Structures are given as C-alpha cells and as structure tokens.
Amino acid sequence: MSPETQQPALQQLLLHVSNYSNYYKRLFREHNIHVDAIKTVADLAQLPFTTKDDLAQYNDDFLCVPKSRITDFVTTSGTLSDPVAFYLTDSDVERLATNESESFRCAGGSENDIYQLMTTIDRRFMAGLAYWMGARKMGAGMIRVGPGAPFLQWESIQRFSPTVIIAIPSFIPRLIDYAVANEIDFTASSIQSIICIGEPIRNPDFSLNELGKRITSQWDVKLYSTYASTEMGAAFTECGEGKGGHLNPDLLILEVVDDEGNAVKDGELGEVVVTTLGVEGMPLLRYKTGDLCNVYYEPCSCGRTSPRLGPVVGRKQQMIKFKGTTIFPPALFDVLDAVKEIDLYQVVVSKNEFGNDEITVVLPMQLQTSAFRETMHSLFKSRLRVSPALTFVTTEELTFRIYKQEKRKPEKLIYI
Ligand SMILES: [Zn+2]
C-alpha cells in the first residue's frame, strides 16, 4: 500500500476528528486549519504534532464517541508519567485483532500454530488482549499462562506442545535457567520461535544484541522482534529476514523525524511519529512517540515493500546525560546482558545535588567481589566510556524490586 492508497483512510480520519474530537476541533480552530486542504499524506506536514504531554493533559478531549460506546478501557504503561487512558470501541477492538493476526503472519505464523502467552492479559494492558484476539482471528490456538511462573510455563509447554512463545525477552533466560535447574530438556521442546515484546533483541545493524545472543546461544529458536504501543494500537513486526519491523500501512501512517520535525532519510535515526488509521475511539494525528528508531524505506528481501523500523535505540525522555556522555537505557541493559553471571539487575536513574543524572546498577549480593566490580568497571568503560555505580542487595530483595505485583512489566529501569 502506497501513500496514495492511504489517502481515503486519512481523509475519513480527518473528517472524524474534526467532527467529534474536542481536542482536534480546538487545535484546528486555533491554527486555522481546514481539513479539506489536507488531501494527501504529504499534506499532513501542515498539521502540528500531537505530543505525550497533550495526551496526558487533555486525555478525555481526544475521545470521539460517548463513553457508553466504549468496549475496552486500557491505560498506557507510563514509565515516566501517569498512565494515560485509552478508550476502544467495538470496531477498535476488531482493528486490534486484525493488526495482531497480520503481525503473527508476518512473523511466520499460521492457523497450525499454538501460541503460549507469557504476558499479562488483564491489568488494563492492551497487548495481551490483542495477542489473544489475533491468534483467534488467524485460527491458531493460545495458552494464556501470563507472566512469570516458570513451573507453569514448562508444564504447559510439555502438556500442550505450543510452537510459539510470546514474551518479554529478558524473561527467557530465567525460563531456561529454571529448565536447567529442574532437568527439563528444553532443547527438545515444541517451541520453534519467540515473539519478543517490549525490549530490543537486535543492534541497529540487525545483528542480535547481547540478550538476543544469550537466548539463541542456548536455545535453537527463532526470535522475532516487535515494536508497538497502546497509542498506535498496532505493531511493527519482523518478518523472517529479521531486518526491522514492518509497518502495516492499513493501520498507521508512519513518519520518522529529526529534532526540527523534518523527515529523516532512508536508514537514518529519528523519532517515530504515527497517525492512526481506522481508529474510532481515540484517533491520533502525527503523534510523537518519543521512540528513536532507524527507518528503512527500501523494499525488504522478503518481498514486502512497507517501511521498516530498526530496534528502539532509546526513548527521547529517557536520555541520560551521565558524566558528559549521552546514554539510553537499552545500551546499559546490553552491557549487563553480556555478563553471564548476571541474572537480575535494576538500573536506577537519579539526580544528584547539582541536578545531574546519576546511574546506579543494583545487582545480587553474591556478585559483590572486588574482582567482579573491576570487571564491570572496565566493561562499562570500554562499551560506554563511563561506568555507573554498583550496589548490591539480596536476590530476594532485588526480585521484589523488579517484579512488583502492581506492575505489568518487570521494572528493569526506575527513576527516583
Ligand atoms: Zn520483510
């Protein structure tokens, strides 16, 4: 689908928000924008961006239907801010199902697959619901085990022979460790591939990062990276080539922009901006995700011509200025994932008395030796040029800090 074929859906969207969204009605009035003047995808550039702050500040003003028409109420994860509410109508829920079934197909899935879901399906989380509906729509099966619980994960794998796992990739080394400790022959299991969510498994050059290598060096499974967010209600999913997540052009218009808001060129890094097509409840125009990715417009070797996004290098808001160096959290995770002895860690970002960023890595107590400190110090220095502070707590304490009951995802990164 080319920008021309996205045009009717874009015009429908503009008409919809200009009639029903209090936020966009106000914005169009203030900027003297007439939606009939925006005919093509290129014309979109006449509109201002919508930011995370706009969404947080005017949350319910984005809603285009009466609340009585809402089918599902979800919230964003809100790592750095309060979670924002998202409202889905029945047709939005159906759109999610379409997105996910097409995502699964892009990652080599078919009706013959059985998926084991290792993420939350409730807790106001959009993705878990989308996975279940997508598998159902495609005609595949699903085992909803949810996060954690390695015993139940392996019992389900042995009992139902799923072919695909859907998980946050940093959980997989824990799953493998559990299998090893309990003499489960995980290499002989039915699992063929893993749909990885929430964390990158590749470097910007598409080679596997330390976490990706850690998984595949122990287990002969194919990893598929995905990138998605509640705001998009759609996912960028890798095909078998593993060269970035494909855009679904029926559901999103993608722009990738520099700091001045201009489109970056093929292969360059920029901020991901999306316009949601076909959304009824809370559509967004030129929404700045804050996520920094490389974009590729060249056709993929799989034959698809849709643009692709490389791994999320970082989130704009999560940029850390540490001892004169700019660091994004994924780079810190990648160093920690490279160390065999480290099973658990938490990165704590704080401000010191001068208002500068400080980074502390919390690790399990048994690693606290001067030799280990020395190794970590030189590893960080060589990879990132700076070395964060290390502190050590018991494994129980660290597990408690990372796997919080009220959180949907493990807290590898916190701000204090
Ligand atoms: Zn492809």
Side-chain angles (χ1 to χ4, degrees), residues 27-38 46-48:
L27 185 84
F28 293 167
R29 207 168 44 235
E30 284 168 3
H31 288 80
N32 202 17
I33 290 162
H34 296 278
V35 290
D36 350 333
I38 299 154
Q46 298 172 25
L47 298 177

Side-chain angles (χ1 to χ4, degrees), residues 114-122 128-129 131-133 135 141-147 149 152-153 156 160 162 166:
I114 300 173
Y115 291 81
Q116 183 153 320
L117 183 65
M118 301 190 179
T119 71
T120 306
I121 199 168
D122 50 9
L129 177 74
Y131 292 125
W132 185 78
M133 291 189 308
M142 181 168 281
I143 313 152
R144 292 175 294 111
V145 181
L152 195 61
Q153 303 291 1
S156 296
F160 302 116
I166 303 168

Side-chain angles (χ1 to χ4, degrees), residues 106 237-244 246 299-304 306 308:
C106 190
T237 304
E238 274 185 0
C239 64
E241 302 292 313
K243 289 183 180 152
H246 280 280
C300 179
S301 34
C302 73
R304 290 177 184 86
S306 53
R308 288 162 288 133

